[in-house]
Amino acid sequence: MDKKRVYTFGKGEAEGRSDMRNLLGGKGANLAEMNLIGVPVPPGFTITTDTCNEYYEKGKDAVVELLRPEVNKALAYIESVMGLKFGDVKNPLLLSVRSGARASMPGMMDTILNLGLNDEVLQGIIAKSGNERFAWDSYRRFIQMYGDVVMGLKPVNKEDIDPFEKIIEEIKEEAGVKLDNELSVDNLKELVGRFKKAVKEETGKDFPTSPEEQLWGAIMAVFDSWMNERAILYRKMEGIPAEWGTAVNVQAMVFGNMGETSATGVCFSRDAGNGENLFNGEYLINAQGEDVVAGIRTPQQITKIGSQRWAERAGIPEAVRREQYPSMEEAMPEIYKELNELQHKLELHYRDMQDMEYTVQEGKLWFLQTRNGKRTGHAMVKIAMDLMREGIITEEEALMRIEPNKLDELLHPVFDKKALLNARVLTKGLPASPGAASGQIVFFSEDATAWHADNKRVILVRIETSPEDLAGMTSAEGILTARGGMTSHAAVVARGMGKCCVSGAGAIQVDYKKRTLTVDGVVLHEGDYISIDGSTGNVYADRVETKAAEMDDDFRELMSLTNKYAKLKVRANADTPHDAQIARSFGAVGIGLCRTEHMFFEESKIRAMREMILAETAEGRLQALKKLLPYQQEDFRGIFRAMAGCPVTVRLLDPPLHEFVPHDENGQREMAETMGVSIDAIRQRVESLMEHNPMLGHRGCRLGNTYPEITYMQTRAIIGACLDLQEEGITCFPEIMVPLTGILYEFKEQERVIREAAEEIFKERGIRIDYKVGTMIEVPRAALTADRIASSAEFFSFGTNDLTQMTFGYSRDDIASFLPIYLEKKILKVDPFQVLDQKGVGKLVRMATENGRSIRPDLKCGICGEHGGEPSSVKFCHNVGLNYVSCSPFRVPIARLAAAQAQIEEDRNAAKK
Ligand code: PEP
Ligand code: MG
């Protein structure tokens, strides 16, 4: 039998299930599942994602022929369930056609509603509904959507208004009305006529009258939309492969715009912004779904408490609220009760917060969609912890529910409270996505991207956003819209991105032509500063300082849960006592890399450092090093104190020397005076330090081996600091690390100097401590000869920055010149300096660990390149059996979570076997 391409659902039956999302897309799989668990869903069918790939392989005609028999059969099924007939004049069935990929891509692809209408069928709808206005309004919406999506009648330039909207505006003006719903039947008839005329004039084609032709046009348009620009961009951002394809969902239409007992809306089983366990959502009476999402009318709240909170924020008195903006709970109590029960049922069934769409048609509730709701990082943590405490999911599941990278948002800035006192509140909108952002105003997506590329921080201000604004939203610090509710495009997308957003700030007037926004007579221009608070909805007319977020109890609970499961330890890369303290507060259990050269960039130390480098003789160097020693020792004391009781790996001096010397005349003259030599002598020395390939030049242990006195001084400072603290009763575990080892003897030579210096200081002070001497493995030769190096080195730390550089032969500093093209051409999937290349660099890490431990079974191995805080790389390190990863302090929570997840995955895999 030929493979199945169409799966039907309806009336409590379905050919698909929720675990078939790869084939049916998320929406299709859930529509099937909802039927199976008794949630009322309009009958329909799903065309598989595989068919989308066939469409791109075989072309339109071939796919239509392949699909036709199954689609006809499925259509007959819908007709029988609904008791209606597609294209029938007396008893017509209308359809919706929507996309639905495996991963949710909100608003990225196109939807067509009311399909199947033509002049004759329209009469049937009028006769059946007895509502002429509703029928004509549905007709004009259909032509508008179909004309745009299938026939391509769209604005040409970004400043143009939509051709259909233009006609609507003309007719409203002629009729002397302000709102769409004030248009009379005659106005709507006129609208339909002008729409059709515009389609013919602009596309050269008549608007199709055959419902069958309409259906195939719509199905093909959904397949086409998989490759539209914004879908491609979204996939790129989210790492969704093009091969996944989209499914097409065709469903019987139900109408939320059939009068006052009809409504439509979206709802969430918990708060997607802050995670609170509170059913919430919005509804619009006598409206179609697109009205809610497009933010054209401001929707009302579903629950009474939500409505009251909303009114309070908007400064609307309770009596006015009850009268003009009642909640669904108050206005449609029966429907509300059913909706509430079903949302709860869906959450329990899927065991996660649900984002649902529904329609009420003449008093009957239908669910159109459910999916696991997108949420902010804050809500993600709270919901996972709450579901765990409520006994709905296990600890392991709670940990697996957290996206490591999204934890970043919890560490995101909030406004500095003091700075806020002086800030002017310009207006207030809805707190659509939390966080705080300050930046310069831009009005267009393209400008946001361009300004961002110029290192400017921008706030994208729009009347409302659409999927076309995606690139700009990504580049902006925050998004402010004049229209739209908590479920508007801006709100939903910003939340998914973890970006701060204030939506529906209705007092703002945006003028795209003049590039201004006006509130109560205050005019702000493009480039002016503005600040928005996505947690309160406040908009400030100034630049307001932000500060880092504080951790809450849920976050702390999550973090302590990671300790219960993770085997891999997490240390931090920290070069100052301050960073070490932050790292410790985030739960780092040591320092995996202290880059000592970073300690010399301060004004007070740089001169002594320069003296040391510019000195011609060993005595001169020793002289200068003596000046540096107390500074180093003081810094180390601070770091070891902050990390009392934890191991601290201190790396000996690494960078190319020419980075430290003065290249300008003034600096050179100053050094000449300090050192009592001629400026020429200084200039010559600076020139002699220049290298063609500094990254492959005189750095790492090559420095220590040519100038052993540096190693000597640094060892004295490290051990000296630890002995000082030991006298204060603080325990230190120093690990002295030799950088850039490639040859065993490079290491041995350095180890000799280190051990001699340590013994010397132990003898002088009459006390000793334990310390380890190990090396970075960051030169491929070191990885290849790890067994030899482990014969001397007591620990390995993989410097995957340099190891990636030298394995690929890509300069760390110059990869940007070709990386975008490599990513574009898919030669590389990701930047290997961000995500560890497991096949190549990772193979060296694995091999070196195994070979090193074959000689020294207790060899401690860690990683300290930038990959140490990247979740997939952390999981790899766990799988290879490293002892720890080390990353920047703010990524410590992410690494801890990834480490716990790696262990849980390992346990789950073991249980399967
Ligand atoms: C590395 O090379 O991975 C490393 C951690 O050292 P640096 O980045 O300082 O070269
Ligand atoms: Mg390095």
Side-chain angles (χ1 to χ4, degrees):
M1 196 190 108
D2 196 13
K3 72 174 168 195
K4 190 168 171 61
R5 295 183 177 83
V6 173
Y7 288 71
T8 56
F9 55 83
K11 225 172 124 192
E13 293 168 5
E15 292 180 316
R17 283 187 320 270
S18 70
D19 61 3
M20 291 168 71
R21 64 185 300 135
N22 292 0
L23 190 65
L24 302 180
K27 185 178 290 190
N30 285 338
L31 284 169
E33 187 81 4
M34 280 198 283
N35 266 288
L36 295 176
I37 63 168
V39 174
V41 171
F45 61 87
T46 304
I47 303 176
T48 63
T49 53
D50 275 357
T51 315
C52 180
N53 288 333
E54 282 181 311
Y55 173 79
Y56 284 104
E57 275 159 32
K58 300 183 174 147
K60 183 178 159 189
D61 294 343
V63 163
V64 171
E65 281 324 303
L66 283 172
L67 279 173
R68 197 185 299 278
E70 281 186 86
V71 165
N72 286 344
K73 211 168 135 209
L75 206 50
Y77 175 74
I78 304 180
E79 289 173 341
S80 77
V81 174
M82 293 299 280
L84 301 171
K85 208 159 169 46
F86 189 52
D88 194 74
V89 178
K90 288 218 173 78
N91 212 10
L93 168 71
L94 299 187
L95 298 172
S96 70
V97 180
R98 294 173 217 252
S99 60
R102 197 191 294 192
S104 134
M105 296 170 66
M108 285 307 115
M109 290 179 293
D110 299 318
T111 291
I112 295 159
L113 304 178
N114 308 338
L115 188 135
L117 274 171
N118 56 29
D119 293 352
E120 290 78 40
V121 170
L122 179 79
Q123 297 310 321
I125 298 280
I126 295 173
K128 275 206 73 168
S129 68
N131 187 337
E132 204 178 356
R133 190 177 190 291
F134 152 74
W136 279 100
D137 193 43
S138 303
Y139 197 18
R140 70 98 185 164
R141 284 169 194 265
F142 169 54
I143 298 175
Q144 200 172 342
M145 280 188 239
Y146 198 93
D148 172 341
V149 174
V150 184
M151 305 188 78
L153 199 58
K154 297 175 196 290
V156 182
N157 299 309
K158 65 176 183 183
E159 276 156 14
D160 295 350
I161 61 166
D162 179 274
F164 292 107
E165 289 297 336
K166 196 165 155 227
I167 298 172
I168 297 176
E169 289 306 316
E170 283 165 12
I171 292 200
K172 279 201 288 199
E173 201 171 318
E174 288 164 25
V177 298
K178 279 214 169 101
L179 300 173
D180 292 8
N181 57 9
E182 292 167 336
L183 291 171
S184 68
V185 172
D186 283 341
N187 294 149
L188 290 169
K189 283 184 188 170
E190 178 64 24
L191 203 55
V192 165
R194 288 199 207 169
F195 276 181
K196 285 188 188 164
K197 197 162 150 248
V199 167
K200 174 79 184 177
E201 275 171 15
E202 297 297 323
T203 68
K205 289 185 207 138
D206 284 318
F207 192 86
T209 50
S210 146
E212 207 193 3
E213 187 187 340
Q214 292 171 359
L215 178 59
W216 288 113
I219 292 172
M220 297 305 133
V222 171
F223 284 150
D224 281 334
S225 72
W226 180 247
M227 286 296 175
N228 73 27
E229 228 173 87
R230 57 185 201 252
I232 292 172
L233 178 69
Y234 189 88
R235 284 205 294 274
K236 215 166 165 183
M237 257 172 46
E238 299 284 315
I240 298 172
E243 307 84 76
W244 282 6
T246 180
V248 185
N249 295 295
V250 179
Q251 244 180 318
M253 275 302 299
V254 288
F255 296 95
N257 55 342
M258 282 182 84
E260 295 306 303
T261 55
S262 299
T264 191
V266 287
C267 58
F268 297 86
S269 60
R270 295 178 192 234
D271 192 313
N274 63 19
E276 192 181 356
N277 184 4
L278 195 67
F279 176 43
N280 66 94
E282 296 169 336
Y283 77 111
L284 269 175
I285 290 187
N286 197 10
Q288 271 202 332
E290 297 313 294
D291 298 336
V292 181
V293 181
I296 292 162
R297 281 163 58 190
T298 298
Q300 285 156 240
Q301 299 296 309
I302 293 185
T303 61
K304 187 170 170 194
I305 179 162
S307 176
Q308 284 170 334
R309 285 186 186 178
W310 168 84
E312 202 178 302
R313 271 199 305 267
I316 295 171
E318 173 63 9
V320 178
R321 180 200 71 77
R322 227 178 307 127
E323 178 63 28
Q324 291 180 20
Y325 311 98
S327 65
M328 180 192 257
E329 193 173 354
E330 292 155 304
M332 298 177 149
E334 288 301 312
I335 295 286
Y336 171 77
K337 191 162 165 273
E338 192 185 353
L339 184 70
N340 193 15
E341 278 165 16
L342 288 170
Q343 66 87 15
H344 193 57
K345 181 173 189 167
L346 283 168
E347 182 180 278
L348 280 179
H349 183 74
Y350 287 100
R351 301 160 73 240
D352 199 358
M353 186 266 276
Q354 295 298 294
D355 165 354
M356 297 150 286
E357 287 178 19
Y358 61 90
T359 284
V360 182
Q361 177 175 315
E362 297 184 307
K364 161 125 184 76
L365 175 66
W366 296 94
F367 272 71
L368 303 182
Q369 167 158 330
T370 191
R371 58 186 170 200
N372 292 342
K374 288 202 181 285
R375 61 203 77 180
T376 61
H378 187 82
M380 168 185 73
V381 172
K382 178 157 175 52
I383 291 171
M385 292 294 108
D386 279 349
L387 288 172
M388 180 189 83
R389 288 185 289 247
E390 289 160 27
I392 296 171
I393 59 174
T394 62
E395 283 179 1
E396 287 96 325
E397 282 172 318
L399 282 166
M400 295 307 282
R401 288 276 172 92
I402 311 288
E403 270 175 63
N405 278 331
K406 236 176 139 76
L407 283 183
D408 236 0
E409 282 170 41
L410 276 82
L411 313 162
H412 268 186
V414 288
F415 283 129
D416 183 88
K417 285 210 175 73
K418 271 204 205 112
L420 262 191
L421 292 177
N422 299 322
R424 262 182 309 155
V425 179
L426 187 65
T427 184
K428 209 172 161 83
L430 295 172
S433 181
S438 222
Q440 290 174 276
I441 296 172
V442 291
F443 293 99
F444 296 101
S445 173
E446 297 88 307
D447 295 331
T449 314
W451 290 38
H452 177 72
D454 283 345
N455 287 325
K456 289 182 182 151
R457 297 171 153 267
V458 298
I459 304 288
L460 179 63
V461 181
R462 302 279 305 161
I463 296 174
E464 64 204 30
T465 62
S466 75
E468 264 92 37
D469 296 315
L470 195 69
M473 293 172 78
T474 315
S475 304
E477 304 298 314
I479 298 126
L480 170 63
T481 67
R483 276 200 217 146
M486 295 287 279
T487 48
S488 63
H489 178 265
V492 171
V493 173
R495 236 178 270 142
M497 286 178 175
K499 198 147 276 199
C500 159
C501 173
V502 172
S503 68
I508 290 181
Q509 285 163 344
V510 175
D511 188 328
Y512 288 140
K513 284 241 153 66
K514 288 193 193 139
R515 301 191 177 217
T516 56
L517 75 80
T518 311
V519 189
D520 294 337
V522 180
V523 183
L524 295 179
H525 297 85
E526 181 180 76
D528 288 349
Y529 274 90
I530 197 168
S531 300
I532 56 173
D533 188 332
S535 311
T536 61
N538 279 347
V539 179
Y540 302 91
D542 311 275
R543 196 174 181 166
V544 185
E545 288 296 313
T546 52
K547 73 174 187 59
E550 283 150 17
M551 286 177 280
D552 65 13
D553 288 346
D554 286 311
F555 184 78
R556 261 188 280 273
E557 189 175 350
L558 172 73
M559 283 295 115
S560 68
L561 210 52
T562 64
N563 287 353
K564 187 166 162 189
Y565 289 90
K567 196 161 88 199
L568 185 72
K569 298 272 182 281
V570 178
R571 297 195 192 181
N573 293 355
D575 314 321
T576 63
H578 174 71
D579 286 358
Q581 263 152 12
I582 295 182
R584 200 147 194 194
S585 73
F586 283 136
V589 292
I591 287 181
L593 176 64
C594 170
R595 292 175 163 107
T596 51
E597 56 276 8
H598 290 180
M599 297 171 158
F600 293 115
F601 281 112
E602 274 172 39
E603 198 49 43
S604 56
K605 302 166 200 170
I606 188 86
R607 199 179 294 200
M609 182 69 178
R610 285 178 171 167
E611 239 182 284
M612 191 278 289
I613 297 166
L614 294 168
E616 300 278 3
T617 60
E619 284 97 275
R621 270 192 296 280
L622 258 178
Q623 205 72 26
L625 281 165
K626 274 203 187 119
K627 290 188 201 163
L628 281 172
L629 191 131
Y631 291 126
Q632 279 253 285
Q633 193 154 327
E634 178 58 33
D635 284 339
F636 289 140
R637 267 196 297 267
I639 289 177
F640 279 101
R641 183 175 279 120
M643 278 287 161
C646 296
V648 173
T649 309
V650 182
R651 181 177 73 183
L652 301 175
L653 199 64
D654 185 354
L657 289 181
H658 76 85
E659 279 187 16
F660 289 99
V661 293
H663 294 277
D664 60 313
E665 181 151 350
N666 277 349
Q668 290 180 353
R669 179 162 300 118
E670 199 182 288
M671 286 316 294
E673 279 163 20
T674 310
M675 296 172 69
V677 294
S678 72
I679 185 162
D680 268 349
I682 298 286
R683 200 175 296 129
Q684 267 172 26
R685 179 84 178 125
V686 170
E687 268 165 29
S688 76
L689 288 170
M690 288 302 286
E691 293 175 318
H692 286 293
N693 271 321
M695 272 294 177
L696 299 175
H698 198 182
R699 59 178 284 228
C701 65
R702 299 160 204 170
L703 280 178
N705 276 315
T706 44
Y707 304 133
E709 49 284 0
I710 301 177
T711 305
Y712 170 81
M713 182 281 288
Q714 289 201 293
T715 306
R716 284 197 62 107
I718 297 164
I719 301 288
C722 294
L723 294 179
D724 294 345
L725 293 181
Q726 168 134 318
E727 284 167 358
E728 287 179 32
I730 295 173
T731 323
C732 305
F733 296 103
E735 299 177 341
I736 301 177
M737 180 153 79
V738 177
L740 226 68
T741 297
I743 303 166
L744 172 64
Y745 298 107
E746 275 179 316
F747 176 77
K748 282 190 141 195
E749 224 0 72
Q750 285 289 282
E751 189 195 6
R752 187 181 56 75
V753 177
I754 294 165
R755 296 215 185 268
E756 278 175 14
E759 282 308 317
E760 189 181 285
I761 193 165
F762 290 153
K763 216 176 276 165
E764 281 167 22
R765 299 188 51 169
I767 41 171
R768 39 183 330 122
I769 50 162
D770 282 339
Y771 68 101
K772 283 190 163 44
V773 186
T775 183
M776 295 199 62
I777 301 290
E778 50 183 346
V779 172
R781 192 182 187 284
L784 293 165
T785 58
D787 46 351
R788 286 173 60 76
I789 292 175
S791 66
S792 287
E794 291 176 298
F795 63 87
F796 283 176
S797 176
F798 291 96
T800 44
N801 301 335
D802 276 310
L803 196 57
T804 299
Q805 169 168 263
M806 287 184 243
T807 302
F808 277 92
Y810 297 160
S811 157
R812 285 165 68 164
D813 299 330
D814 304 310
I815 189 172
S817 55
F818 60 88
L819 181 68
I821 297 159
Y822 266 42
L823 293 175
E824 182 80 41
K825 292 196 166 165
K826 300 204 171 80
I827 295 172
L828 284 174
K829 279 211 180 96
V830 286
D831 175 354
F833 288 103
Q834 269 177 29
V835 179
L836 186 75
D837 159 49
Q838 299 184 10
K839 291 201 185 91
V841 179
K843 196 169 180 178
L844 286 173
V845 171
R846 185 188 292 272
M847 190 187 75
T849 305
E850 285 167 7
N851 290 351
R853 285 186 181 154
S854 72
I855 297 296
R856 189 188 287 271
D858 63 347
L859 183 77
K860 208 195 265 185
C861 294
I863 175 183
C864 64
E866 291 312 304
H867 308 92
E870 191 283 315
S872 69
S873 314
V874 174
K875 286 182 189 171
F876 174 80
C877 293
H878 168 93
N879 293 336
V880 170
L882 298 192
N883 301 86
Y884 68 86
V885 294
S886 187
C887 57
S888 68
F890 279 95
R891 294 192 75 78
V892 166
I894 296 171
R896 289 173 67 193
L897 176 70
Q901 291 182 339
Q903 181 65 48
I904 293 170
E905 272 167 27
E906 185 185 317
D907 293 344
R908 284 182 177 177
N909 288 337
K912 268 190 220 149
K913 278 181 195 153

